Structure formats: C-alpha cells, structure tokens
C-alpha cells in the first residue's frame, strides 16, 4: 500500500501503486560524459573576455543557454570544457536609456524585454517579438544576445532589432567596438562574432522622440512586429516582418522594413523603404513598395516549413498588416 | 570545486558544484525533490518548471551553478504545514477538485507555472492563463480543466474563500448512490504535491544505469560488433549482446518476431533495433560506453512504405514476407450494390505515422532478489504480459518474475509493448545489482511503436434519396519492422472503415505490411482514427454530391438497434448514435442555425468561419473471439476498510477511481473507505491488457462481482451468526443491519475472522463471448458511439486554421465518474485535434526525422478550443451499471469534424494529414488565378 506522509486536509490518498523504499543517492564521481567541465561566473565584461582567452580547453560564453545546452546534450556541438556565464555581469543585464539610445544588455532575459515599459514606449516591435520568442519559461532565461548570436535569418528578436536599426556593442581582447546590426551576420547560422573570443555586450536602439519637422508637422516614430507560423514541426516562424517608421502627418518621413527569412542573413528591404520614404502612404505607394520588396527579397524553399512561392504569397498580407499597424501607432493624438 | 549556495523551499543548501549538472538533476538526484519531472530534457514540455527568484524556469536546461545565490521553489514547497497536517495550496486543491489531474506527470510543471502567474497577476483571465501556460504540455490534455482550476484558485486566493468546485459537470442519468456522481481521484493529492512516485523516481541501493546501443540503420545485416572498448571502460559493469540472451531470442505481443537484440549475421529491420546493452555505475558512463561500441552492417535496400512493401520483387523483411496480414470484410454483393447506386464516389486518403508522446518516457528497473527472483518496476499497460515476455527470454517460470507496476505518465497505447523490461532483467541478472533503464525522449521517439500510417481508398455508392447501398474500402497499413499489435489495429481499422452506418453491401481489404520504419501498434483509436477520417470525409463529399444535408445523410444511414454491422453482428441494444448526432446538431445550431455556411469575419474578410461534423463508433473490448477476462480481489480489513486489487493499468485515465467507486457502491460505503492496488503480478490478479477501452467494462465488472460475492459471503456469515435469513440483512451507509443490530465493517471483520472466515473474494470476470472476423455473429460485446462538431476559422490568404469550438457527444452506456469522463473527453478531443493539425512523425527512408519533441508538436493550451461535452447514455446490459468504454471513441471523430469544417469554410478538401496550411492557401490562390 502507498506509504502516506503527512495527512492532507482536503482529500485522502487511497490508491496503492506498489512502491519501494527510496535509497539515498550515491552519485559516482570521476569518469563522466559531462556537458561541461568548468563553469565560470565573471562579474565584468573584461573578466569574461579574459576567461574565454585563458580557458584550458574549448570555451564558450553562455547567456540563457537553452539552445547551447540542448546542442551539447544532443551532440550537435563539439564538446566544451568551460562555460562562461554572462548573467552575473551587471553591464550585460542593464536595460536603460543612455542618451538618445535605449540600451539593452545582451544577457537581459527576453521576458524582461517583453515587459519593460521603456521597450514598450520606444521599440514596440521588439516588445512584440520578445513576447513571441519560444515559450514563457524559456523567455525567462533566453536572451536577445543569444537570439542574435545564432545568426538565424528569421529569429524574431533579430528581425525586430534589424528594423530598429540597432547598434551592437561587442567586446574582445582589444576592447569593445560598436557594429551596425546587420554587419553581425555572415550567412545562415554564421555570425561575424567569434564566440570563442568575443562577446556581444548589448544593443543600442536609437530613439527618436517626437520633434517638429521643417513643415511644422510633428514627427512620430513607431514600430510593429508580426509573424506567421505553422503548427507542425520546428517552432520557427515561416515568415516574420518588422517595420519601424517615422510619420509626418500623412507622409512616411523615414522607414525600415525587415523580413525574415528574406535572404541568407536578416534582411532589410531597402528598395521598398526607398519607395515609401518621403511619400504619402497611398495605395499606389504601397503597391510600389510591395513590388520592390518582392523583387529584392530572396525567398527560399525550406523543407517541411514553407515553399518560396508560399512565402511570396503571404508576405503581401503580412507586410501590409505590419505597416498599417505601425502607421496607425504613429498617428497624431 | 566551487560551491553552490542556494535556497530551496525555504531551506538553505551549500553544495559542491558538479561539472555539467543542471538544476533539475541537482533537485531530483541530490535533494531528492522528485516532484520536478523530466519529460524531454529539451525545454519543450515544461514538466521540469520550477521558480527561480520568482520566475518560472525550465530546470532541465538551467545550469546548476547559475542557481548560486538564488531562491528556488519547487512543487514540494507549495503545501504548508498547518498544525499537524499539510494544507494544500489553493492551486493544488483546485487542480484536484476540478479533475485537472490525470496521469499527473505534467502537473508539477502546470502548477508551478500557474503559481508564478498568480504571483504576478492575481486576477488572470483565460488569455493570460493560456499565454503563461503556452509551453507547459499536458498530453492527457485536460487543458479546459486546468484553466478552470487556475481561475478557481485565483479567486480563492483573492477572496480568501474556499476553492469553488466545478458546477458544469452533470451526474449520470443512471446514477446510483456512488457511481454516476463526480468523485476525486484517490491519487490526485500525491500528484499535486509532487510526492507521486513514477518509475524514474525510484532509486535502489547499488543501482546501475543502463543504455542500449541501437542499430541506427533501417535495414541490413550485422557484420561486426566490437564491445571491447566499452567493456574496458572504468565503471562499466556489464555489456551484453544477443549471444547473452538466455532463452527465447524474440519478444512480441501476438507474434514473437521482435529480437531482444540483433545478433551477428542477423537482420536489422529498423533504426531502433538493439545491438548491445550496457550497465554502468552512472548514466554518463553508460552513455560513454555505448558510444564506444562499434558496429558494421551489410546494408540492404530500404522498404519505406506499405505500398512499396507489397510490390513484386522487393526485398522481404521477414521470413514469411512483407505481408503481416491481409484482412477482409465481406457483406452482401458489391456488384449488386454499386449497380443499385445512383451516385458512386471514390477517393483516396492518407494519414501519417504519429507518436503517443506521453509525457513520461519509458523507464524500467530490474531488481534481483536474494532468492533468485526478479522484480521489474515499470509503467506498463500489460503487466502480466511483461512477466510472460521477460520469463520466456530468461528461460524462467513466470512466477520467478514479479512486475511491480508504477504510476504512469500517460500511455495511450504506447506502453503495451516491452521496451526496457527484458533488457534490465538480463543486466540485473548478470550483475546481481538493480539496473535502471530510462529512455530519453529521443529513445522514446525512435524506439516504441507508433500509430500506423495508412493509405485508405473509399468507394461509396448511394441512392438519390441518400441511402448508402455499397461501400468498398482498401487500406494499406504501415506496421513497420515488427508486428506488435499491427494485425489487431489494422483489423479494427478495416472493420470500422465503412463508418457507423447500416450498409447492405460492404467489402474491405486491408494489407498490413512490414516496412523498415519504426514499428506501429496500439494508439488510442486503434486504427479507427485513420479509417474514420477517410469515411467521414467521404460522407460529406457524398452529401454534397447528392444535395442532401450532411447531418440528415448520417442520421438516415446511422446504425441503430436492429442494424447488422459490416461483420454480420446484429446490434441488440445500446446504440446511441442517433442521439449523439441529434444532440450535437442541436447544440451546434444554438451557435449558428446555418452552421455549415461560411461566415466571413467583419473585421477581416479573409477570415472565414464554419462548422463541420463527423460521427464514429468504436468497439469496447478485445473481441474477435479472444477470451476477454479480468480478475479482481476485494478484501475487507480489520479497520473496516476494503481493498480492491487487479492487475489492470492506471495510466492516467482514471480506472483506479472507477474500481474504487464500484466497490464503494456495492458495499454501501464512502469511496474513501476503499483502497485500490493495481499492476503488481504478485499481489493482484490478472486484469488483462489495458487497451481497447475495455477496463471500465471488464475490470469494472470483475470488481463489482467480487464485491457482490463478498457481500453475499458477509450476508451468509452474519445470517448464520445471528440466525436470520440472509435476505434480512441490509447494507446501508457503511453499516450492516442485522435484525436490529448495526454492525460496522470492522465488527463484521471481527465476527467473520472469529468464525475462521477470510473476508476476501477473488472474482474472474469473462466478458460475453465474441466471434472471429469472417464468422459473422458478435465480433464485439459492445460498441461506443460518438459525434463531434467543430467550428474552425480559416485564413484564406495564409491557409492558417484555428479550431474555435468542439461539441462532443459520446454514448458511454453509463457515466461511472462524470468528473473523470470529462477529462477523457477533453483529452480525446485535443489528441484528435493534434492528429489533425499538428502531429506528424516523419520517417525518411527509414530514418527518423522527428527524433526530438521540438520537431514533433503536440497541441498545447493555446490551441485548445471551447469544448462542450454531452454525455449520452444507452446502457449495455452486460456492462457495470450499463457502462461501456470511452477512452478511444472520444478522440476519433475530431479529425474529420475539423477537416469537414475547413471544407465548409473555404471549399478545400483535406485528404492528407496533418492539415497543411500552405496546401490550403495554394489551392485557394490557384483557384482564384483561374
């Protein structure tokens, strides 16, 4: 019969599924197929870069670590000796206004990005993307740094940051440098950052507060992110889109449009942006922008997710939807 | 070594860091907080969720060293000690009261995720709950009950009032004093506190850890196998190969065709075939050892699908060829039938392989006893068959093996075949130490039998007035590398392939074929899920062709009392199909009087809604001439409590509660006075396999008759003692009334034992006899019937499909425990929805693509529609209080109801599962282009 521990007040426990006394754990030490050997918790960026350089074996930084630990466990990653945890570094967990930019540390959990009022006020596309990355528990550990470091051309956070024209701050042995966001990517899954030597410290998102233009119209900036999924298989969007724009009355003063996957790296459709920049947002302008988008984007077939044809078909509605939502958000009060 | 200082459930710990350790391992292995469950170890299922500094995290991918300085709360930290007893947290209480607990394996994760939500948001609405629980999977899929429980707990926490109980679940129309009313599961409390013990939660002194070397090639001959490096590894205690198999080389449920391990020169038939097994001091060493084993193969051409398997000249996988069975159903005269028809339609449908994805991966522990016996701790749907299979391979008498069944984190048919049981017995026997073999999610996905992929051609002939006169079907079933229950499953697919309709001329041919894919076997619905999709799609196609309303077409052809089934069985009673159809139809029309017409969304004309409907039936019990037997013991104890025992399996479906209620009913006592012991081959009589929706019927009856017999014995005994006639003795409210005396059951125990009588009865129940297919007569002793309607929303641009509402009516004979039944219906609908929209187990040329949970999507709470359950009760006289099975039929009509709704919304006929939104979009844009 079931061994009952303290009695409970609401219901009884009368099922007997035969059990056996549980013995004390006796974990063996020594010859393990361990996921890692050493785990470092530096408290400054410099210390982290130094730890990477001085590790006795292959070393990698770990922020959220969800993907990395899975890759190690599933044998999709070469064995790692040292993991360097970036979440104990205050600079990398900061989220604050710094001058004209919103600074988001690369190790800030995605859930905090999703909830933060500064992000909501200045980078709504990122709020929306952050709310869609993975699931709630994973968002509590996953980071924007990790999302970007994977260099996937359709990662939600990456596409939002692309449209927001973020600047990445990268630390290496020779100090830190700032890189335009799109320069972080070399190809699908190929980052310009050498993870064994360098660390993405954080992102600076330029913030434009309302100002009065030459034509004495108020300029208002806004952004939006949406995506289309399919319910089977890998939980990656089959298409996502982020738009940042600056509206001056009925005119698109400035605009950034990012589509994922629209090519081997996170894709800005500069031709569509040109078709809209300085133009009133009319049906004709929208059609020109769409034509430019379809001409410039390189949609591809991805097995079991979506064909290029399908992406070309659904991008039309998605782009219009995202653009119109951002446009309305930038409306005068 | 660095230290990890952390607080767990208000206790402080300072622990040495162990390289590579995750928080889940630290909690489970070092602190023995086993309530934190491991379902996938890939941050997909959420079972391992704990709170870290107030936020829910997946502890399976959380480095333990990151927890330094942090505060952790696990499921064990929620209940509070108030005076001398533990007081459940309102969330825990609400989960119990609302029937949100079924197999229980996901529950700690559900509750911890909900706990974090309520801390942040004390007044969440349904959307907030769904957003928070998005990635906390429940395969029993009682998502509506989970949501209701969280709402009730939130209210209790806000107001300080007691947790509100569910009010929307009616009693059975045929309720007695106890059965027919909602009752809580006896094991629910331990499942919400984290104390519930599943196999992997057990540890034995000196226990070794096992791992299996798998072939990982789909087809070939084993040419060379080198285990020397693995053997030489420090910490490895045993490495065994086929040469070490003591007696019989194969296992199997019907046909012994599945090698325990493939030996040198022998044939590998699928990637999951075992080549060698290792026992080592730690899991890590066992895994390293496996990676050191070298195997070489003489590769053979791969049979990738059942149609190819039947072609001439292809390689034959088994000695008797690739055909496992040609199954035939013959009724009437097809030429005559089709000649009579005014309309003939023909279409071919495809369904994919799917996986059970029970939340608890397979685990077996072999424990050698000093007297030479062997105990196997395992969550199994057929404990006695496990015993037989282990004993055969070990060359032992069956009694030398004891299967000690554990709580199971779901089964759904996927825990009927032997997985690790024989391997741990061999290793434990050689090492004379306990050996645990825990599958990781990848092992589970690759190795255990799946739902059969099928190709089903349906040809139907009907009169202008809608009467169906002929139905011809041809099925191909992919049974994979080994038979498992393939023949039985495909037989059920075949006999049910003309739908729940009364048709004069029927012909069905099925080819159950061996291939080099993972084996296919039992899976909730047992083949009928597949054929119902085909025939119910065809019913809507026929309705359209004939211009007859689709509900009316089903009504006019529905099986009824007096009908003769395809297999020649006259249905004499308990056919509630028409009532199911009528009730679903009426409920659906409350939402929309013209339910099948598409309605465009006012805000977005690309979004279109419509309803679809489908009907189904499913046998209860083994049928086909197989003796269907279950045994149960009922015993009275000195303290006046009873125990009912049977080796039937509790996999989360609620059988233990059913047994308890039945004995309580018969003995006129509160259910709390009945304890239930199941799944132990030493202590409980054989309840047979837990399959075919049979246990409520057969073990329910065994429990009932055992209790009745015990009551008669008590009557006889008390009659003798008090010198009255037995008929004068009354059993009421826990008391035995004898001629003015009132005896408690404790008194009765005393009196009987004083007379030298043991108040204990064993009853072996045998269900009404059935006939094999082809002989006519009763192939089954009962059928359950169902109808479902689904309302979907389709985006015409993207093809995206959302299911908004499902109305499900199930004729269950009689609802023994309406609360448990609610969970079976909700879970059945969700599993059907997954089968339709999200799930596809992909095998490419024999290699498994979907070898992680991240690649095999089971539906989560976000996809859960509003589910309305209607219970229809046409009692069957042989069933306990009229009850028959429900486990499977509740899941069968969902898929065609959804695909019919999609057709009604946008005019695209789905004939291949799962629904491909791109295909819908493409068909719509191509149509527009014309």
């Amino acid at each position: 019969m079931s061994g009952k521990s303290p009695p409970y007040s609401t219901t009884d426990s009368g099922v007997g599924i035969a059990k056996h006394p549980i013995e004390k754990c006796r974990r063996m030490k020594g010859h393990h197929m361990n996921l890692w050997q050493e785990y470092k918790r530096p408290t400054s960026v410099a210390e982290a870069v130094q730890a990477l350089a001085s590790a006795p074996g292959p070393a990698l930084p770990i922020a959220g670590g969800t993907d990395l630990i899975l890759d190690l466990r599933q044998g999709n990653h070469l064995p790692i000796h040292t993991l360097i945890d970036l979440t104990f570094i205050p600079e990398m967990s900061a989220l604050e206004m710094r001058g004209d930019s919103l600074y988001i540390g690369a190790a800030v959990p995605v859930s905090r990005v999703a909830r933060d009022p500064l992000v909501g006020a200045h980078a709504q596309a990122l709020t929306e993307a952050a709310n869609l990355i993975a699931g709630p528990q994973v968002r509590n550990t996953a980071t924007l740094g990790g999302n970007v470091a994977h260099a996937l051309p359709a990662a939600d956070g990456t596409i939002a940051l692309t449209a927001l024209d973020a600047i990445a701050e990268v630390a290496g042995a020779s100090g830190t440098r700032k890189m335009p966001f799109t320069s972080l990517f070399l190809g699908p899954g190929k980052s310009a950052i050498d993870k064994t030597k360098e660390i993405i410290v954080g992102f600076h998102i330029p913030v434009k507060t309302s100002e009065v233009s030459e034509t004495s119209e108020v300029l208002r900036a806004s952004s939006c992110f949406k995506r289309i999924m399919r319910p089977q298989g890998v939980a990656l969007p089959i298409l996502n889109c982020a738009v940042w724009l600056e509206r001056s009355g009925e005119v698109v003063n400035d605009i950034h449009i990012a589509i994922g996957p629209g090519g081997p790296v996170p894709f800005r459709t500069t031709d569509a942006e040109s078709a809209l920049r300085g133009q009133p947002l009319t049906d004709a302008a929208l059609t020109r922008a769409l034509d430019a988008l379809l001409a410039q984007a390189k949609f591809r077939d991805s097995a079991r997710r979506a064909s290029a044809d399908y992406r070309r078909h659904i991008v039309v509605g998605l782009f219009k939807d995202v653009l119109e939502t951002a446009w309305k958000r930038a409306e005068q009060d | 070594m660095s230290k990890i200082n952390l607080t767990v459930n208000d206790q402080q710990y300072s622990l040495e860091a162990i390289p590579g350790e995750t928080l889940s391992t630290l909690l489970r292995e070092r602190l023995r907080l086993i309530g934190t469950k491991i379902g996938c170890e890939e941050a997909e299922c959420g079972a391992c969720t704990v709170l870290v500094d107030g936020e829910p995290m997946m502890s399976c991918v959380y480095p333990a060293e990151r927890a330094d300085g942090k505060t952790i709360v696990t499921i064990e930290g929620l209940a509070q000690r108030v005076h001398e007893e533990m007081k459940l947290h309102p969330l825990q209480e609400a989960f119990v009261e609302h029937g949100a607990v079924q197999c229980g394996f996901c529950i700690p994760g559900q509750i911890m995720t909900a706990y974090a939500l309520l801390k942040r948001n004390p007044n969440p609405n349904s959307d907030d709950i769904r957003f928070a629980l998005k990635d906390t999977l429940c395969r029993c899929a009682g998502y509506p009950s989970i949501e209701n429980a969280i709402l009730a707990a939130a209210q209790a926490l806000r107001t300080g009032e007691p947790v509100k109980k569910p009010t929307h679940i009616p009693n059975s129309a045929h309720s007695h004093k106890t059965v027919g009313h909602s009752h809580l599961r006896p094991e629910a409390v331990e499942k919400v506190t984290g104390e519930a013990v599943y196999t992997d939660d057990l540890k034995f002194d000196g226990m070794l850890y096992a791992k299996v070397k798998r072939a990982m090639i789909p087809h070939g001959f084993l040419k060379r196998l080198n285990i020397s490096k693995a053997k030489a590894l420090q910490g490895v205690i045993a490495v065994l190969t086929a040469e070490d198999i003591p007696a019989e080389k194969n296992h199997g449920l019907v046909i012994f065709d599945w090698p325990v391990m493939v030996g040198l020169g022998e044939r590998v038939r699928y990637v999951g075939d075992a080549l060698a097994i290792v026992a080592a001091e730690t899991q890590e060493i066992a895994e390293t050892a496996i990676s050191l084993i070298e195997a070489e193969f003489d590769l053979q051409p791969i049979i990738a699908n059942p149609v190819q398997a039947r072609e001439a000249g292809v390689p034959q996988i088994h000695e008797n060829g690739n055909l496992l069975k040609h199954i035939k159903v013959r009724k009437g005269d097809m030429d005559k039938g089709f000649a009579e028809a005014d309309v003939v339609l023909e279409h071919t449908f495809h369904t994919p392989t799917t996986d059970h994805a029970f939340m608890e991966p397979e685990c077996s522990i072999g424990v050698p006893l000093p007297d030479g016996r062997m105990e196997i701790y395992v969550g199994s749907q057929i404990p006695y068959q496990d015993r037989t299979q282990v004993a055969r391979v070990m060359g032992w008498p069956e009694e030398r093996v004891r299967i000690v069944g554990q709580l199971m984190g779901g089964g759904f048919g996927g825990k009927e075949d032997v997985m690790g049981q024989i391997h741990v017995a061999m290793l434990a026997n050689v090492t004379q130490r306990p050996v645990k073999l825990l599958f990781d999610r990848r092992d589970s996905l690759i190795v255990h039998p799946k739902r059969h992929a099928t190709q089903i051609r349906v040809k139907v002939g009907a009169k202008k007035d809608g009467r169906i006169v002929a139905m011809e079907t041809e099925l191909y079933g992919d049974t994979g590398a080994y038979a498992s229950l393939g023949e039985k499953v495909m037989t059920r697919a075949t006999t049910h392939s003309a739908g729940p309709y009364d048709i004069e001329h029927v012909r069905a041919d099925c080819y159950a074929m061996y291939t080099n894919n993972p084996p296919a076997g039992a899976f909730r619905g047992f083949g009928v899920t597949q054929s119902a999709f085909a025939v119910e799609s065809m019913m809507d196609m026929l309705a359209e062709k004939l211009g007859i309303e689709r509900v009316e077409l089903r009504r006019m052809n529905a099986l009824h009392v007096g009908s003769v089934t395809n297999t020649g069985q006259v249905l004499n009673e308990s056919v509630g199909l028409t009532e199911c159809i009528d009730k679903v139809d009426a409920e659906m029309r409350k939402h929309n009087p013209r339910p099948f017409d598409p309605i465009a969304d006012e805000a977005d004309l690309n979004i279109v809604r419509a309803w679809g409907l489908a009907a189904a039936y499913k046998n209860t019990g083994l049928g086909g001439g197989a003796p269907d037997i279950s045994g149960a013991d009922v015993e009275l104890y000195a303290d006046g409590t009873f125990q009912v025992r049977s080796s039937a399996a509790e996999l989360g479906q609620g059988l233990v509660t059913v047994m308890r209620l039945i004995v309580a009913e018969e003995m006129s006592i509160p259910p709390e006075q009945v304890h239930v012991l199941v799944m132990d081959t030493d202590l409980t009589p054989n309840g047979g396999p837990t399959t075919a929706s049979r246990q409520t019927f057969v073990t329910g009856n065994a429990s009932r008759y055992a209790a009745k017999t015990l009551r008669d014995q008590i009557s006889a005994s008390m009659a003798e003692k008090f010198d009255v006639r037995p008929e004068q003795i009354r059993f009421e409210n826990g008391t035995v009334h004898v001629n003015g005396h009132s005896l408690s059951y404790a008194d009765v125990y005393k009196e009987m034992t004083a007379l030298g009588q043991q108040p204990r009865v064993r009853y072996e129940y045998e269900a009404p006899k059935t006939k094999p297919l082809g002989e006519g007569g009763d192939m089954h002793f009962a059928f359950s019937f169902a109808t479902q309607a689904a309302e979907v929303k389709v985006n015409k641009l993207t093809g995206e499909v959302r299911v908004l509402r499902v109305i499900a009516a199930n004729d269950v004979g009689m609802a023994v425990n309406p609360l448990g039944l609610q969970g079976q219906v909700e879970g059945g609908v969700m599993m059907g929805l997954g089968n339709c929209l999200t799930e596809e187990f992909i095998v490419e040329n024999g290699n498994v693509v979907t070898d992680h949970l991240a690649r095999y999507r089971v539906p989560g709470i976000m996809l859960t529609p509003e589910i309305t359950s209607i219970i229809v009760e046409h009692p069957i006289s042989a069933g306990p209080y009229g009850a028959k099975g429900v486990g499977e039929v509740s899941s069968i009509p969902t898929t065609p109801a959804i695909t019919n709704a999609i057709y009604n919304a946008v005019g695209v006929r789905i004939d291949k599962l799962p629904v491909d939104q791109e295909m819908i979009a493409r068909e719509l844009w191509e149509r527009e282009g014309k």
Side-chain angles (χ1 to χ4, degrees), chain A residues 296-318:
Chain A
Q296 197 184 3
K298 290 185 183 64
F299 292 117
R300 60 189 162 89
D301 292 317
S302 26
R304 297 181 209 100
R305 282 174 61 213
S307 69
D309 280 358
Y310 181 54
R311 288 187 165 122
R312 293 180 69 82
H313 176 74
I314 59 177
V315 75
V316 176
L318 179 66

Side-chain angles (χ1 to χ4, degrees), chain B residues 12 35 45 73 81 134 146 166 234 238 256 259 264 334 375 455 461 476 555 631 645 676 799 815 826 833 914:
Chain B
Q12 288 179 6
C45 77
V73 184
R81 186 178 289 276
K134 171 181 170 274
I146 288 173
Q234 193 199 338
F256 295 98
L264 274 183
M334 294 318 289
E375 289 178 342
Q455 171 181 302
Y476 280 84
R555 228 180 242 132
R645 299 185 285 267
V676 187
E826 289 171 356
L833 185 146

Side-chain angles (χ1 to χ4, degrees), chain A:
Chain A
M1 282 304 299
S2 75
K4 279 195 273 181
S5 45
Y8 286 91
S9 54
T10 52
T11 42
D12 71 310
S13 175
V15 70
I17 291 174
K19 290 177 191 172
H20 199 279
I22 300 174
E23 304 296 336
K24 275 235 168 84
C25 161
R26 295 195 315 176
R27 198 183 166 92
M28 289 285 296
K29 290 209 178 159
H31 205 114
H32 290 173
M33 204 182 197
N34 289 325
L35 299 180
W36 61 85
Q37 299 302 328
E38 267 185 53
Y39 197 88
K40 301 271 187 204
R41 290 173 296 203
T43 52
S44 74
V45 173
E47 204 187 318
V49 172
Q50 172 59 29
L52 268 179
S54 63
L60 273 186
I62 175 170
T66 309
D67 289 330
L68 177 59
I69 288 176
L70 292 192
D71 282 346
L72 289 171
R73 187 176 276 151
Q74 294 168 2
N76 300 327
H77 201 293
L78 292 173
I80 286 297
H81 181 276
T82 304
L83 285 180
I84 294 149
D85 191 328
L86 304 177
T87 62
F88 292 81
I89 302 170
E91 172 67 4
M92 293 192 63
S93 297
L95 199 171
E96 61 201 14
M97 292 303 296
R98 291 188 179 173
D100 286 344
S101 294
L102 172 62
Y103 172 79
I104 304 176
V108 173
V110 168
S111 59
R112 196 174 138 210
V113 175
R115 283 199 285 258
D116 190 275
L118 285 174
V119 181
H122 300 300
Q124 205 164 351
L126 186 58
T127 302
E128 287 165 329
N131 264 315
L132 292 169
I133 293 171
Q137 293 98 318
V138 169
R139 285 199 287 272
N140 282 331
T141 47
T143 64
L144 280 187
N147 198 264
V148 170
H150 282 305
L152 296 176
D156 296 319
T158 299
I159 288 299
L161 287 169
T162 303
L164 293 166
D165 209 18
I167 307 283
E169 192 174 319
V170 177
S174 51
T176 65
R177 63 201 160 106
K178 290 192 173 172
M179 294 173 73
F181 192 70
T182 46
S183 70
L184 293 173
F185 310 100
L186 301 178
K190 270 192 79 177
S191 171
I193 308 297
D194 180 352
K195 277 185 260 183
T196 63
K197 295 192 177 72
E198 297 176 302
I199 290 165
I200 304 176
V201 178
F203 305 98
H204 301 268
I205 298 169
V207 169
K208 296 219 178 162
T209 42
S210 297
E211 56 181 86
V212 179
S213 74
E214 289 159 20
T215 57
S216 67
E217 284 277 12
V218 177
L219 286 177
R220 278 177 191 277
S222 73
S223 64
C224 177
F225 172 93
K226 294 189 185 194
R227 69 178 190 186
I228 294 171
M229 302 285 289
R230 63 179 294 151
Q232 305 96 10
V234 182
L236 283 174
I238 52 180
L239 196 72
N240 55 14
C241 175
V243 166
W244 171 92
L245 58 80
E246 194 177 49
R247 176 172 176 174
S248 167
E250 293 309 306
V251 172
V252 179
N253 200 57
D254 195 5
I255 186 164
H256 310 145
I257 303 164
I259 304 276
V265 294
F267 168 67
R268 275 270 297 269
T269 169
T270 46
D271 292 354
E273 292 172 6
S274 303
L276 288 166
R277 195 171 290 120
Q279 303 293 319
L281 190 61
T282 58
D283 284 352
L286 192 62
T287 304
R288 281 197 302 278
L290 263 173
D291 289 345
L293 186 161
L294 290 170
Q296 197 184 3
K298 290 185 183 64
F299 292 117
R300 60 189 162 89
D301 292 317
S302 26
R304 297 181 209 100
R305 282 174 61 213
S307 69
D309 280 358
Y310 181 54
R311 288 187 165 122
R312 293 180 69 82
H313 176 74
I314 59 177
V315 75
V316 176
L318 179 66
F319 168 63
K320 278 187 185 167
D321 188 8
V322 174
L323 177 61
E324 280 166 12
T325 309
W327 181 249
K328 278 191 200 128
R329 283 177 185 165
E331 207 156 33
Q332 312 286 339
D333 295 325

